[in-house]
Structure formats: C-alpha cells, structure tokens
Amino acid sequence: MNRRCHKASGIKQLTSFADGLLKDYDAVRNGLTLEWSSGAVEGNVNRVKMLKRQMFGRANFDLLRRRVLLVE
C-alpha cells in the first residue's frame, strides 16, 4: 500500500490531514475495524461539557457536581 500518494495532490490541507492520519495509522485502522467503541465515554464527556457551559457563572462547583452525577 502506497501511503505517500497524498503528496501528489498539492493541496496543503489534504496533505496535512493525511500526514496526521498516517502518524496515527494503527489507531485509525483499529478504530475503523475493531468492534469496540469509546462512543459511550465520548457521549458522557460531551454531556459534562454542555452542563459546564450552561452553568458557567451561574452556580458553584457543588451544584455542577450534583448535576453531573445525576443519572438521567
């Protein structure tokens, strides 16, 4: 497999993106082929970040902690 053919495109953004994929080639391949997923974890991280944004400047850490730990 020729992993360097993206250089021929001449598009700087495409070359940079492809270089990043190639640096993490094993992780990218595993993410696309293995049955395991970190989707549930990423969903919880997204929920916590949303709560943090919503509560910024409105409440203290104790209330944020209670909302994060609240199971919906």
Side-chain angles (χ1 to χ4, degrees):
M1 177 175 154
N2 182 3
R3 295 185 187 172
R4 296 293 173 195
C5 63
H6 67 279
K7 299 279 186 189
S9 73
I11 302 171
K12 182 180 176 183
Q13 295 86 351
L14 180 61
T15 301
S16 176
F17 175 71
D19 283 339
L21 289 178
L22 290 172
K23 284 179 186 174
D24 291 329
Y25 179 77
D26 290 333
V28 172
R29 185 191 66 231
N30 289 339
L32 294 172
T33 59
L34 297 178
E35 61 189 73
W36 298 292
S37 171
S38 62
V41 173
E42 293 298 330
N44 280 321
V45 168
N46 190 40
R47 183 180 68 87
V48 169
K49 287 182 178 183
M50 180 208 50
L51 287 171
K52 186 177 173 185
R53 280 191 301 268
Q54 284 178 342
M55 296 180 68
F56 180 78
R58 298 175 191 228
N60 61 16
F61 180 74
D62 293 333
L63 183 57
L64 174 62
R65 182 176 182 274
R66 278 188 261 150
R67 287 198 61 192
V68 167
L69 296 176
L70 179 68
V71 178
E72 296 178 15

